[in-house]
C-alpha cells in the first residue's frame, strides 16, 4: 500500500514523525513492507531552524519530494502547492494521502488528492476555534470535509464533527480500542471519525529522555525562574497596536521571558520599530528552537505564554501552566482542566497575577486528556485497513 504524507510547516514535522515511525513498526511486525511510505515537503517552512532541524532531531526520512513553494500570500502559496502536488500524485498514484494539522500545506494536500479521487485521511481532525478569521480554521474545516478517515486527537474533536453532520463517529468519540478497530467501516460517502489519541503525545514520548536546554541559555537560566513566550499568529503580530500592547503588558515581568522568535514576528517587530522594546529585559529573544530544545525550556519554565496551538498542549503535557493570548482555543480541555487560561487582552501587571495563578495550578492533579501515546499505532492499523 502506497501512503503519501504531505508536510510543510514546523508542527507537521512533529506529527508526521510519530506516524511514520508507526508505519515502520507495523512493517517490522508484519515482516514485510506492507506500508510503502512517501514523504512530500511543500517547502512552506524552509529555514533550517524551521524545517531541517526538525528532520534531524526527529530522525525523519529525507522528503521524497520538496516542492520548494516558500512564502507568499495565502492564495498564491496554496495555489502553487496544489499545482505541484497534483503532478506528484499523478506520477506516484498513491493509495491514500495523509495530511496533518491545519496549515496551507494541509488543505492543498487534501484538495489536490480529492480532485484526483485519492482517499484523504486527516491527522488532528475535528479541532475548531469557531473563528473564521483564522486561516487555519478554514483549512481545518475544508480538510475534514474532504477526508475519508478523520483521526481525532480527543473526544471534543469528535463532538465538533458530529455537530457538522458526520454520523459515523466510532465508539461515540471515546479513545479507540483494539476491539473497535475490527468493526470500523468507512467510505468516501460515509467517512469514519475516530478518536485515536493525540500524535503529539507519541512525539513527546519519543524525545522526552533527551530534552535539552539551548547552550546559550544554560548558564543564564540555571536556578532561575523564567517564562517562555511564543507569538506568531497573524492576529497578534501583523497589527502594530496589538503587538505593541502585548509587549508592553509583559514588560514588567519579574522573571526573564525567553522568547524564541518566529520569522514572521521578527520581521514585524523590525518593521513596526519595536526592536528596542523587545531587546531589553525582561525579554530574551533567541532564534526559533528545535523540538527538543523547545520542550527542554518549557519543562522547567514557571509559565508559558503563547498563541501557538501545539505549545498550549505541550505545556499541559509537561505540567506547566499556560496563558493563551487568543480569544478562543481549540484545546478546550486544557482550559476546562484549569491548566490553560485564555487572555485576550492582557494588561500591565498580568504576568505577576499569572505567576501566582500558575503556582496554584502546578499542585493540581492532571487528567489524561489526549490518549496514551499510541495514536500513531492506531493510525497505521486503520490505514492498513484501507486496502482490505
Ligand atoms: C504556519 C501555519 C500555522 C502554524 C505555523 C507554525 C498557515 C496558514 N499557518 O504559520 O498554522 O501554526 O506555520 O509555525 O499555514 N518564514 C520564514 N522562514 C520560514 C518560514 C516562514 O522566514 O522557514 C516567514 C516568511 O516571511 C512568511 C512568514 O514567516 O511569510 C509566515 O510563514 P507562513 O508559512 O505563511 O505561516 P506561519 O506564520 O509560519
Amino acid at each position: 500500500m502506497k501512503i503519501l504524507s504531505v508536510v510543510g510547516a514546523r508542527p507537521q514535522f512533529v506529527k508526521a514523525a510519530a506516524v511514520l515511525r508507526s508505519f515502520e513498526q507495523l512493517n517490522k511486525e508484519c515482516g514485510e513492507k506492507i506500508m510503502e511510505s512517501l514523504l512530500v515537503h511543500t517547502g512552506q517552512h524552509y529555514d533550517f531552524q524551521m524545517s531541517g532541524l526538525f528532520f534531524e532531531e526527529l530522525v525523519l526520512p529525507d522528503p521524497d519530494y520538496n516542492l520548494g513553494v516558500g512564502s507568499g500570500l495565502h492564495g498564491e502559496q496554496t495555489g502553487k502547492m496544489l499545482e505541484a502536488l497534483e503532478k506528484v500524485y499523478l506520477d506516484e498514484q498513491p493509495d491514500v494521502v495523509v495530511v496533518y494539522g491545519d496549515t496551507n500545506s494541509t488543505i492543498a494536500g487534501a484538495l489536490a488528492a480529492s480532485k484526483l479521487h485519492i482517499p484523504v485521511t486527516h491527522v488532528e481532525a475535528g479541532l475548531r476555534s469557531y473563528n473564521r478569521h483564522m486561516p487555519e480554521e478554514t483549512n481545518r474545516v475544508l480538510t475534514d470535509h474532504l477526508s475519508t478517515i478523520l483521526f481525532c486527537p480527543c473526544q471534543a474533536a469528535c463532538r465538533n464533527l458530529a455537530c457538522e453532520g458526520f454520523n459515523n463517529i466510532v465508539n461515540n468519540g471515546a479513545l479507540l480500542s483494539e476491539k473497535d478497530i475490527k468493526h470500523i467501516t468507512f467510505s468516501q460517502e460515509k467517512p469514519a471519525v475516530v478518536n485515536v489519541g493525540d500524535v503529539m503525545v507519541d512525539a513527546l514520548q519519543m524525545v522526552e529522555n533527551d530534552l535539552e536546554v539551548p547552550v546559550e541559555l544554560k548558564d543564564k537560566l540555571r536556578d532561575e525562574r523564567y517564562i517562555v513566550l511564543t507569538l506568531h499568529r497573524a492576529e497578534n503580530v501583523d497589527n502594530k497596536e496589538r503587538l505593541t500592547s502585548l509587549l508592553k503588558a509583559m514588560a514588567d515581568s519579574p522573571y526573564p521571558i525567553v522568547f524564541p522568535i518566529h520569522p514572521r514576528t521578527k520581521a514585524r517587530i523590525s518593521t513596526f520599530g519595536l526592536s528596542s522594546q523587545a531587546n531589553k529585559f525582561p525579554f530574551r529573544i533567541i532564534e526559533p528552537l528545535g523540538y527538543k530544545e523547545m520542550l527542554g525550556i518549557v519543562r522547567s519554565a514557571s509559565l508559558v505564554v503563547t498563541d501557538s496551538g501545539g505549545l498550549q498542549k505541550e505545556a499541559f503535557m509537561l505540567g506547566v501552566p499556560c496563558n493563551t493570548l487568543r480569544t478562543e482555543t481549540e484545546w478546550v480541555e486544557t482550559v476546562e482542566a484549569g491548566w490553560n487560561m485564555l487572555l485576550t487582552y492582557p494588561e500591565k501587571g498580568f504576568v505577576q497575577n499569572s505567576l501566582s495563578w500558575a503556582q496554584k495550578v502546578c499542585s493540581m492533579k492532571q487528567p489524561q486528556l489526549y490518549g496514551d501515546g499510541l495514536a500513531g499505532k492506531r493510525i497505521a492499523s486503520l490505514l492498513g485497513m484501507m486496502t482490505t
Side-chain angles (χ1 to χ4, degrees), residues 286-331:
I286 54 174
E287 287 303 303
L289 295 175
Y291 185 55
K292 292 179 190 168
E293 287 186 334
M294 190 67 204
L295 296 183
I297 61 163
V298 166
R299 183 169 55 180
S300 310
S302 301
L303 174 72
V304 167
V305 181
T306 188
D307 62 2
S308 151
L311 198 59
Q312 292 169 50
K313 214 174 16 157
E314 283 160 347
F316 174 80
M317 295 185 312
L318 291 165
V320 180
C322 176
N323 280 174
T324 297
L325 298 174
R326 288 177 47 196
T327 40
E328 70 288 303
T329 178
E330 299 76 19
W331 305 107

Side-chain angles (χ1 to χ4, degrees), residues 15 34 98 167 282:
K15 298 181 213 325
I34 54 166
V98 186
N167 57 9

Side-chain angles (χ1 to χ4, degrees), residues 236 242 245-246 324-328 341-346:
N236 282 333
R242 172 74 177 162
S245 79
L246 289 176
T324 297
L325 298 174
R326 288 177 47 196
T327 40
E328 70 288 303
M341 186 160 68
L342 296 180
L343 274 184
T344 312
Y345 301 107

Side-chain angles (χ1 to χ4, degrees), residues 51-266:
S51 174
L53 178 56
F54 284 73
F55 275 74
E56 277 183 17
E57 283 188 322
L58 294 159
V59 206
L60 272 160
D62 285 339
D64 298 282
Y65 293 87
N66 190 325
L67 310 179
V69 165
S71 305
L73 294 170
H74 284 277
E76 179 194 9
Q77 188 182 50
T78 314
K80 281 186 191 160
M81 289 176 192
L82 269 178
E83 194 180 344
L85 282 166
E86 187 170 61
K87 288 200 184 94
V88 175
Y89 295 171
L90 285 170
D91 284 348
E92 293 289 348
Q93 301 285 328
D95 296 299
V96 58
V97 165
V98 186
V99 294
Y100 302 80
D102 58 14
T103 73
N104 290 339
S105 301
T106 314
I107 181 60
L111 188 54
S114 162
K115 296 275 182 188
L116 293 171
H117 311 296
I118 302 166
V120 178
T121 60
H122 184 199
V123 175
E124 210 175 72
L127 296 180
R128 296 291 181 267
S129 65
Y130 297 102
N131 174 359
R132 288 288 175 112
H133 285 275
M134 284 173 68
E136 291 84 356
E137 182 76 352
T138 313
N139 294 340
R140 289 181 196 124
V141 172
L142 296 179
T143 301
D144 282 341
H145 286 263
L146 294 172
S147 297
T148 297
I149 307 185
L150 295 93
F151 298 116
C152 296
C154 54
Q155 197 149 16
C158 297
R159 276 200 300 271
N160 292 337
L161 292 168
C163 292
E164 286 175 24
F166 287 88
N167 57 9
N168 186 10
I169 317 276
V170 176
N171 203 10
N172 274 327
L175 190 66
L176 185 71
S177 68
E178 282 283 334
K179 75 174 179 8
D180 296 324
I181 289 189
K182 298 182 195 95
H183 305 295
I184 294 178
T185 56
F186 49 82
S187 66
Q188 271 166 298
E189 291 68 38
K190 200 170 170 61
V193 171
V194 194
N195 176 0
V196 288
D198 194 332
V199 289
M200 299 286 284
V201 177
D202 305 27
L204 174 61
Q205 289 180 0
M206 276 165 70
V207 299
E208 69 187 339
N209 292 330
D210 45 7
L211 301 189
E212 299 156 8
V213 171
V215 186
E216 75 248 52
L217 292 179
K218 244 184 199 144
D219 289 335
K220 289 186 195 137
L221 292 181
R222 199 186 303 266
D223 300 328
E224 201 176 354
R225 294 183 183 195
Y226 63 92
I227 294 166
V228 171
L229 168 70
T230 77
L231 287 174
H232 78 275
R233 293 216 174 262
E235 64 269 27
N236 282 333
V237 304
D238 286 357
N239 176 301
K240 183 178 176 181
E241 252 171 59
R242 172 74 177 162
L243 186 54
T244 310
S245 79
L246 289 176
L247 293 178
K248 254 195 193 148
M250 275 174 276
D252 64 355
S253 166
Y255 299 161
I257 298 179
V258 180
F259 187 10
I261 198 156
H262 189 286
R264 175 191 201 112
T265 313
K266 188 180 186 177

